[in-house]
Amino acid sequence: MTTEEVKTKVVVAKEKEKKAPKAEELSIDPATIQMIERSREMGIDTIFDRAQTMKACNIGIQGTCCKNCAQGPCRLPLTKGGIEGEDTRKGLCGATPETIAARNFARMVAAGAAAHSDHGRGVAETFLAAARKETEDYKIQDTKKLLEIAPDYGVDITVEGESGEILDRDIDEIAVELGEKALGQWGQQQGELCLLKRAPAPRYELWKKLGVLPRGIDREIVEIMHRTHMGVDQDYENLGEQCTRAALADGWGGSMIATDLQDVLFGCPYPLKSSANLGILKKDHVNIIIHGHEPLLSEMIVQAAELPEMIQYAKEKGAKGIQLGGICCTANEILIRHGVPLAGNFLQQELAIVTGAVEAMVVDVQCIMENVANVADCFHTKIITTNPRAKIASGKTLHIEFDEHTAFEDAKRIVRIAIENFPNREKPVVIPDYKSDLIAGFSYEAINYHLGGTFRGSYVPLNDNIINGRIRGVAGVVGCNNARTMHDNSHITIVKELIKHDVIVLTTGCNAITCGKEGLLTPESARVFCGPGLAEVCETVGIPPVLHMGSCVDNSRILMAATEVVKAGGLGKDISELPAAGSAPEWMSEKAISIGQYFVASGVYTVFGVTLPVSGAPVFEDYLYKKLEGIYGGMWDMEPDPMEHARKMIAHIDKKRKALGIDKARERVLMDMADRQKLEAA
Ligand code: BF8
Ligand code: SF4
């Protein structure tokens, strides 16, 4: 390189540095800010830097780039100011922007539904192996839930005795049949998925009338891939219907089965205490990060890390113990069942390694950034891939494949590798001193129990408080981080705005982790952040205003909670009548699109932040944002501004309150509240 070239390079690098936003402009989370700064000081490239140097494609972002055949990519951007007169944009084959955007959207639904459902299939296979006693490592733990759900799968829990008496059926037999029936849902070719009937009857009847009841999980996903192949389905509404079939096969199929069987296998979650953020890592401990989505192996790692022999081994290597921490939804899974603390959400995965304190990051499937391998290369951290579907092509990652028959041995091997890596720390350890306490594990069964106790557990108290106006409505706020927006900012702004206006929030996924870090998952936060009505209810019942329900497959718990609210009565006959709304403020993954579609098709008004790749196809956009309301009673919306986003959700909730005729009750409660406060002050 000539001196001139070197000089130019230095100038370019300095320019880049000048232009790069400060760390505090990229995240609201102090731990994240501190680690972005450290990564920059160390010259380590993270997603926060790459988001500055690489801008998103202006046509892809509109959803109107088609590369479904080799005559393309055909790119149909919508220019600023829109189209005057007739929209004549066409791909080589004549595909309109609507067809192209709808096909791209459908493929996102297919990929998202496939990811959740393949997770569910893996769980069903392990469940069956456990039920058949082919593995020593997994045992059915929650027989109560097993008996509760078996009939939904068409599995009898009683048998007729010799003289006609009704007898309890053998629990192992029930488990095996349940495993077989559940696994059969993937390859089923005809009929309908068995859990669709869990929905309120009018919802199920609507799906039936519309002809969108999914037949089999794999079938609906395959059909999207067929229909979106060059020259097949060229009607955006017809594609939209198939999106619904595949998405329902996710929410009321693959994801719901995953939640059901994980609960039976590992225990149904009930509220427990833990903490969140990078501050949970310990300088003098062997730190193991578990990252990904399937809890099958991580359940074993939790057990392995607690073994006295492992703790002793860690001490021999100079550590005081073993600290586990989770990232992404594996984190949520092991939090809600074991209280393992949350190290961080999606955008913190590289930064956890930047602490220099992580001996091993064990990953399974989904949301694992390839760059964790590069960041780990700068430290002593070992990246261990564990799933045959998800390897990283870096010579430095280890692959220890998960096998349900040897899972505990595999887990012990992984923990041992981490311990042996403890003395290899090479860079100074810097752990941000930030973590917050939280309570998580609100399965819909736990909410039931919390509201009314074991003997009179029900959603009636919740409904009563919605009807009397103390609680304005219910919001499901879920989903990812997205490096195109300020990390965690929209999540927190929206959730705080909702609870301030007495809307109780149900959360999963990376939003749940964000709320945990912000301290919103504690009953005490109610007094600080909630409107007077919601604060009163939370304080009386002793629950946080934001209920952590689990991982992203556990969005099925939100569907079940909504169904329970309908069943408890007084708020209409279907989910679409509830004063409720859904939101994914910082979404990025295709799974979020599948989730959005099944929420919409279940009757929920669902707002996404950031952007939706449909803006280049105004007719298809209108179908999603407006026309679907007339079909399902729920529809999509997109609002990047977090305050406006929350306002739209609250406006929808108020619209539903009015339709139910309970809008006046709220005014009365607020008046009472003001009067009471006046009295107290006097
Ligand atoms: O399934 S919320 S970034 S971790 S995709 Fe991924 Fe999104 Fe996080 Fe969980 Ni869900
Ligand atoms: Fe272009 Fe049509 Fe091929 Fe798509 S399918 S790339 S629009 S020719």
Side-chain angles (χ1 to χ4, degrees):
M1 210 183 268
T2 65
T3 331
E4 264 321 293
E5 279 171 337
V6 172
K7 270 190 196 158
T8 326
K9 223 180 155 192
V10 170
V11 172
V12 171
K14 281 196 173 156
E15 276 301 305
K16 214 170 111 183
E17 206 174 287
K18 249 193 271 164
K19 275 192 210 143
K22 294 198 183 82
E24 58 265 31
E25 294 169 54
L26 299 171
S27 176
I28 58 162
D29 169 23
T32 298
I33 294 169
Q34 190 183 339
M35 286 300 103
I36 295 174
E37 282 167 351
R38 182 170 208 225
S39 71
R40 286 177 171 178
E41 279 159 21
M42 297 176 96
I44 298 168
D45 183 52
T46 71
I47 190 168
F48 292 95
D49 306 306
R50 294 188 294 279
Q52 305 309 318
T53 48
M54 189 171 72
K55 292 293 164 203
C57 163
N58 184 39
I59 304 165
I61 216 170
Q62 298 185 11
T64 49
C65 172
C66 179
K67 52 180 179 58
N68 293 12
C69 88
Q71 302 171 95
C74 294
R75 305 177 312 150
L76 276 53
L78 188 64
T79 43
K80 267 203 185 120
I83 306 272
E84 274 187 34
E86 197 189 339
D87 188 351
T88 55
R89 291 175 296 157
K90 282 188 189 70
L92 255 64
C93 64
T96 63
E98 319 313 325
T99 300
I100 293 174
R103 283 199 299 223
N104 289 338
F105 190 83
R107 285 194 169 198
M108 293 181 88
V109 172
H116 281 149
S117 299
D118 216 29
H119 166 167
R121 186 202 321 264
V123 175
E125 284 172 342
T126 302
F127 181 91
L128 197 50
R132 287 181 177 150
K133 309 228 179 320
E134 292 166 2
T135 164
E136 285 282 293
D137 297 346
Y138 297 97
K139 299 207 166 49
I140 306 291
Q141 290 193 25
D142 194 336
T143 47
K144 182 170 173 273
K145 183 146 183 173
L146 172 73
L147 295 174
E148 274 165 15
I149 66 168
D152 296 345
Y153 290 79
V155 177
D156 288 332
I157 56 170
T158 53
V159 280
E160 206 174 304
E162 276 171 14
S163 39
E165 74 277 29
I166 303 295
L167 302 170
D168 287 343
R169 194 177 169 199
D170 177 65
I171 213 89
D172 291 335
E173 247 181 66
I174 297 173
V176 171
E177 196 186 333
L178 175 66
E180 287 168 350
K181 288 255 164 74
L183 205 49
Q185 296 288 287
W186 273 266
Q188 189 171 286
Q189 298 303 318
Q190 284 164 349
E192 61 192 57
L193 297 182
C194 58
L195 299 183
L196 296 162
K197 286 214 171 89
R198 280 187 179 170
R203 182 63 21 187
Y204 172 82
E205 290 304 327
L206 176 70
W207 292 333
K208 196 170 177 184
K209 194 176 101 207
L210 295 168
V212 294
L213 292 170
R215 295 154 289 185
I217 299 167
D218 289 349
R219 176 163 194 172
E220 305 307 349
I221 295 166
V222 167
E223 192 167 316
I224 286 191
M225 296 314 285
H226 176 198
R227 286 189 192 214
T228 56
H229 181 276
M230 195 273 160
V232 186
D233 200 349
Q234 289 152 156
D235 173 341
Y236 65 89
E237 295 200 39
N238 207 39
L239 279 161
E241 276 180 15
Q242 188 55 26
C243 287
T244 298
R245 288 185 198 98
L248 291 178
D250 172 357
W252 298 87
S255 282
M256 198 170 270
I257 298 172
T259 300
D260 272 0
L261 299 188
Q262 285 172 183
D263 282 356
V264 177
L265 209 46
F266 306 130
C268 185
Y270 281 90
L272 42 69
K273 275 190 184 166
S274 188
S275 51
N277 217 343
L278 292 171
I280 62 104
L281 297 172
K282 292 190 183 134
K283 194 171 182 172
D284 51 11
H285 278 55
V286 172
N287 292 296
I288 304 176
I289 294 280
I290 315 174
H291 172 20
H293 284 76
E294 293 183 0
L296 298 172
L297 180 60
S298 45
E299 280 282 329
M300 294 294 118
I301 293 181
V302 173
Q303 287 180 34
E306 283 169 358
L307 289 173
E309 64 190 75
M310 288 295 170
I311 296 166
Q312 182 52 36
Y313 192 34
K315 287 184 178 158
E316 282 165 25
K317 295 287 172 190
K320 287 203 173 135
I322 304 169
Q323 178 64 51
L324 296 183
I327 297 240
C328 284
C329 283
T330 294
N332 289 321
E333 297 279 5
I334 51 175
L335 164 74
I336 59 176
R337 296 197 183 85
H338 302 285
V340 172
L342 302 165
N345 52 13
F346 173 71
L347 280 181
Q348 290 178 284
Q349 54 187 286
E350 294 164 303
L351 304 179
I353 302 172
V354 173
T355 61
V358 176
E359 275 54 60
M361 178 179 269
V362 188
V363 304
D364 51 81
V365 289
Q366 301 165 25
C367 302
I368 299 138
M369 288 197 241
E370 192 165 344
N371 202 55
V372 290
N374 299 326
V375 179
D377 265 1
C378 307
F379 295 89
H380 73 302
T381 309
K382 286 199 190 308
I383 303 289
I384 306 176
T385 55
T386 58
N387 195 292
R389 309 178 192 90
K391 295 188 178 182
I392 301 178
S394 151
K396 294 195 179 154
T397 58
L398 274 174
H399 185 75
I400 299 178
E401 198 151 304
F402 166 74
D403 180 332
E404 64 257 34
H405 303 97
T406 55
F408 194 46
E409 279 311 311
D410 299 339
K412 284 199 274 188
R413 197 172 142 211
I414 289 169
V415 173
R416 246 183 254 120
I417 289 171
I419 295 171
E420 283 157 11
N421 200 23
F422 181 77
N424 299 335
R425 286 185 186 177
E426 30 184 60
K427 305 250 164 67
V429 169
V430 178
I431 298 171
D433 191 15
Y434 300 102
K435 64 174 176 181
S436 303
D437 292 338
L438 60 85
I439 294 181
F442 288 90
S443 54
Y444 80 91
E445 293 90 337
I447 297 177
N448 202 40
Y449 170 78
H450 253 262
L451 290 171
T454 355
F455 298 112
R456 51 187 182 87
S458 87
Y459 277 64
V460 172
L462 175 66
N463 285 32
D464 285 348
N465 280 301
I466 296 174
I467 294 164
N468 70 26
R470 279 191 188 86
I471 296 177
R472 189 182 205 136
V474 183
V477 189
V478 306
C480 326
N481 293 137
N482 184 315
R484 299 286 176 207
T485 62
M486 193 183 200
H487 173 237
D488 286 350
N489 181 48
S490 294
H491 281 309
I492 292 306
T493 310
I494 291 166
V495 170
K496 281 191 178 164
E497 192 64 10
L498 290 169
I499 59 177
K500 184 176 155 193
H501 289 89
D502 296 313
V503 177
I504 191 166
V505 173
L506 310 178
T507 179
T508 62
C510 286
N511 178 276
I513 301 176
T514 310
C515 291
K517 291 189 292 175
E518 188 71 11
L520 297 175
L521 303 182
T522 58
E524 298 75 39
S525 68
R527 208 176 326 123
V528 185
F529 297 108
C530 293
L534 180 59
E536 192 188 349
V537 174
C538 289
E539 279 175 3
T540 313
V541 187
I543 54 168
V546 183
L547 302 178
H548 186 312
M549 296 188 85
S551 68
C552 286
V553 293
D554 293 331
N555 282 321
S556 61
R557 297 192 202 275
I558 300 185
L559 296 176
M560 290 304 293
T563 303
E564 291 296 317
V565 172
V566 172
K567 278 195 204 149
L571 291 170
K573 294 199 158 38
D574 194 356
I575 296 172
S576 56
E577 290 184 59
L578 298 177
S583 159
E586 300 178 23
W587 81 280
M588 63 88 204
S589 108
E590 291 164 315
K591 289 179 283 174
I593 296 292
S594 178
I595 294 165
Q597 183 70 16
Y598 73 63
F599 267 96
V600 168
S602 301
V604 182
Y605 169 61
T606 305
V607 195
F608 270 40
V610 197
T611 181
L612 268 180
V614 294
S615 60
V619 181
F620 181 57
E621 186 179 51
D622 195 68
Y623 164 78
L624 293 181
Y625 295 179
K626 298 203 178 94
K627 202 164 172 190
L628 285 184
E629 187 176 21
I631 302 171
Y632 298 118
M635 67 288 201
W636 285 87
D637 204 350
M638 197 283 289
E639 180 50 64
D641 177 72
M643 285 303 269
E644 191 51 31
H645 188 115
R647 258 182 246 133
K648 282 181 167 180
M649 294 171 76
I650 294 167
H652 179 82
I653 284 168
D654 285 349
K655 181 174 106 180
K656 293 293 172 183
R657 291 191 67 87
K658 195 157 186 216
L660 288 165
I662 54 171
D663 48 332
K664 295 282 181 294
R666 188 170 155 73
E667 284 160 26
R668 274 198 301 276
V669 163
L670 293 182
M671 240 156 34
D672 286 356
M673 197 69 65
D675 291 347
R676 218 176 310 155
Q677 275 159 358
K678 258 185 250 152
L679 270 180
E680 277 169 16

